Amino acid sequence: MIGKTPSRYAVALLLLFATACSHSPEPQGGPSQLSAVRTRHVTFVQWTDPHVFDAGKGRTGEGVREEELDNWAAFHWAVLQTNRLVLTEHRDIDFVVITGDFGLENVLLSNETKRTSCPGDKPSQEGPIPTVPIAAAADEVARELDALLVKRVYLVPGNNDLACESPKDLPRWTQFVTALQQDLADRDQNRNKAANMPKKPNTATAVEVVDLTSIADAPVINGISLLGLDSAYFKDHEIDRNKKKPATVNSAGKLAITKDIDPASKLIQNDADAAIPKEIERISKQIQPGGSYLVFTHVPDLNDPIGRSPAWKLSDKESRNWKNNVLDESAVLGVFAGHFHIAKRDMYPQNFPDKDKIADANTAVKVWLAPPLAEKYQWRSPPEETARGMLLVSVNADGQTRVSAIDGDVKASAMWFSTSDQNTAAVSVGDDKIAQAREAERDRNWSDAATQYQAVLSQDKADPRTRATALSGYLHARGEMRSWWWKSTAARWIYLNGMSLLVTVGIVVGAIVVCAMLRWFYVVKGASIFLKFVFVPGFEGRATINDTAAMTDSAPVKLFASMLRAEGQEIRSLLQREQEHWAAGHITLLAPANTSLDSLVASVPKVGSGPADLSVWTKFLVNLLQVLRWTVQTGLAVFPPNQLPPPTAPPAGANAPVIVTGAELNAYAVLQWAWVTKRSWWRMRTVGNDLSALRDLARELAALICGEAFV
Amino acid sequence: MRLLPRRNPRKFTKAESFCLFIEGVRALQLYDKEAYNPQPDKLVLDTNLDEAEAKFRKCVEEYPKDILPLYYYGIVLTLRGQVGEALQLQHELEANRPGARLASGGDEHDRLFLKAAAVFEKVSQQTGGDLLAYAEYNQALALARTAPIRSHGTVR
């Protein structure tokens, strides 16, 4: 027992130190939390223009439904791709912003029976898809958002979220957001109920949806305030019914340009004209000097790339208000919009058409465009040439750039969605190496991380987003490698393994303390006794006597083993003569090792080959069963007397006898089941003039072994 | 009334107890074997009976809870009493003074019989089954050998 305990500790120590030399696994990426608060820095994902409820506008036949499915597929992709950024790339995404155009104009409010007809509607067109009730629409969107790992979602309405793009239809948007918020809350509550967990308010299990255009206090993330500009009605609403008519020549011989504005559209324009100043004022009032602001809106103040006409129709006064009070404010870091559907990837996020013609410098610098998710207007383009996807944005408000490749406070890159082949189109070249590099970063193995990032930078086909990420990571890794503790081998080892070592030492010390306490309270001994009681069957006198081990040269082990078995038989005879047949039946089963069984097992014919050889398995099983039984291990030692008797010539061909008068016989017997020792005995006799000492020794040990059956 | 369950008479406290017991049995059987010899060797008889008594006594002293050695110890004491009684009778016959035992010399044998009866009484109290019947029979036999019969112990 004394010899076993240190060896157990040694094995435990070896195992624990072995674990100390390996890197501890980092926790898996889970639901995203707010990124560590640095100086005014946020990372977010912008989705725009999903058009899941008004898909198929302008399409015919199966194209209507096809576009609906495609738009939903893009919406699914946006959720999964955002989750992938969290899980695979381990990015801390602070929030998701959806800059409008779900297509709520084609959704029925509770008091509506049919879609609102608008000026300019073409009654013969087949699209869009059939209307759905607003509750169903909210439920469908909630199902998607509920799967997001990023738990903050901000919304602004798009022009296609208002019937006829009228500011008077804003309640449609408000009802949708409210229904969406309630649906998500219900889903979270049901989930907690299903998991039998109490409802925990303010936990990150539920997705929090906020309409940025309807709240008084702008949310602040890491010191950066988020503003929502409702530009859903900023477009030109007036419909000139003479637009497609041929121009007439007046009496002076000049082209007479006369407009015939649709009265209904004029009314909408009037409403918009009244609402726009209020909206711009609402935004401008929230901007305070010294703050940092991001503005999210749907329609950008840019020329529409298709019609080449301004997307906003503002009076000169409101244009000045926008520029002077919002866009030109240094506190405004960026304006993020969507709305455009042109299939030109180069245009996103900031390579606007006619950019060089934009007079206002801040518009060219601060406005960012996200590609649309919807297939709208891009269904004729080959999949690889579409420009659909989302924007990944990183913003620093302290003037320090996060990505040093491009100077600036805002770094945005588009991630592309493709209907045809998600595997090749959605995952950019080099993404795998980026993931490997990030894993190396998480292991704080900066040299490996730098190597992986460098490999990405050497790939010409990597898209700008991937390259920018790789460059950022590479520079960061190189920066870490320049630290003194990385250059020192010993310090680096402690840096990489210090925590694991500390934990391991703690575990070892704890284990030693626990073991000591257990030994102190005899728990180990008690457990050992309990395990023996449970797993080791009682000894009933049936034991196999193995060959006696010779502990000294020429010890008469065969003679001793024979005597041991004979004495076992003798004990049985003694008890039988005393009519103790019950006891005699117990103890006369001392038997030699079963050599006949061994030979039988050895003769099992070979069936199959290699690991499938049945004979090998049969032998193994038989041997295993043979181990699980009571056995007696014996050993014999003969020590010569201090004074040797006068030498006598041994018979011819025989060795000198070892059992001589005065010699000391030592024998042991160990009774065990499998590897568990039940009892052991050590006895000694001094040899007289004959072999009676050897017989007495065998007799006593046999009696002791048999006696264990009656204890 | 017995509150504790009767102990299994064929259980031993330790293997060493069984070892002493079986040594005693061996010596007792050697004694019996010699005793059935038409011309028994007194020295052999005495040696074996002494050894048997020594083994059983040691076993009883070291492992007082073991019943079977106690029973056999009582047997040995009875045998010793019988031997002394027989030798006394032989001596009286040789001296042509039959009945003198009653006057003198019977105390030593009676003491052995009474001791044996006490041992059997103890066995009877601790066991049941066949050994109980044997113990009671031997207790009665030991008491019957005493002269005059005294009321030591309770014969049930």
Side-chain angles (χ1 to χ4, degrees), chain A residues 611-623:
Chain A
D613 187 354
L614 290 178
S615 64
V616 174
W617 286 102
T618 306
K619 289 172 188 173
F620 170 74
L621 285 174
V622 171
N623 288 330

Side-chain angles (χ1 to χ4, degrees), chain A residues 427-434 436 451-464 466-468 470:
Chain A
V427 179
S428 302
V429 173
D431 270 4
D432 54 339
K433 286 193 164 45
I434 290 277
Q436 290 175 25
T451 305
Q452 295 292 347
Y453 283 131
Q454 200 170 21
V456 177
L457 292 171
S458 65
Q459 290 185 343
D460 296 334
K461 292 183 178 176
D463 67 19
T466 308
R467 291 181 65 81

Side-chain angles (χ1 to χ4, degrees), chain A residues 574 577-578 580 699 710, chain B residues 10 12 16 26 29 72:
Chain A
L574 287 172
R577 281 197 289 272
E578 293 299 315
E580 290 288 343
R699 179 183 296 160
F710 299 97
Chain B
R10 289 168 179 89
F12 290 80
E16 283 76 3
R26 187 193 312 279
Q29 288 190 4
Y72 273 82

Side-chain angles (χ1 to χ4, degrees), chain A residues 93-133:
Chain A
I93 308 292
D94 293 302
F95 61 90
V96 171
V97 61
I98 308 176
T99 47
D101 265 7
F102 287 95
L104 301 181
E105 64 178 352
N106 198 41
V107 165
L108 294 181
L109 298 178
S110 52
N111 59 349
E112 290 178 329
T113 55
K114 62 175 185 177
R115 185 175 188 266
T116 307
S117 59
C118 297
D121 278 356
K122 296 172 185 172
S124 60
Q125 63 187 9
E126 294 183 32
I129 56 173
T131 56
V132 293

Side-chain angles (χ1 to χ4, degrees), chain A residues 177-197:
Chain A
V177 174
T178 305
L180 181 59
Q181 289 167 333
Q182 185 59 48
D183 199 303
L184 283 166
D186 291 346
R187 285 171 183 271
D188 185 55
Q189 197 172 18
N190 292 337
R191 184 166 46 238
N192 288 336
K193 270 185 190 171
N196 201 19
M197 295 188 316

Side-chain angles (χ1 to χ4, degrees), chain A residues 567 570-571 574-575 577-578 580 582 587 679 681 683 699-700 703-704 706-711, chain B residues 8 10-19 21-23 25-26 28-29 32 68 72 131 134:
Chain A
E567 290 303 329
E570 173 66 13
I571 290 169
L574 287 172
L575 291 172
R577 281 197 289 272
E578 293 299 315
E580 290 288 343
W582 174 83
I587 63 169
R679 281 292 303 272
W681 301 272
R683 292 292 184 269
R699 179 183 296 160
E700 185 175 0
L704 288 168
C706 295
E708 274 300 314
F710 299 97
V711 173
Chain B
N8 185 345
R10 289 168 179 89
K11 280 288 179 187
F12 290 80
T13 306
K14 289 180 73 175
E16 283 76 3
S17 173
F18 179 82
C19 187
F21 166 73
I22 209 72
E23 289 297 317
V25 169
R26 187 193 312 279
L28 199 58
Q29 288 190 4
D32 279 349
L68 211 52
Y72 273 82
L131 198 62
Y134 296 149

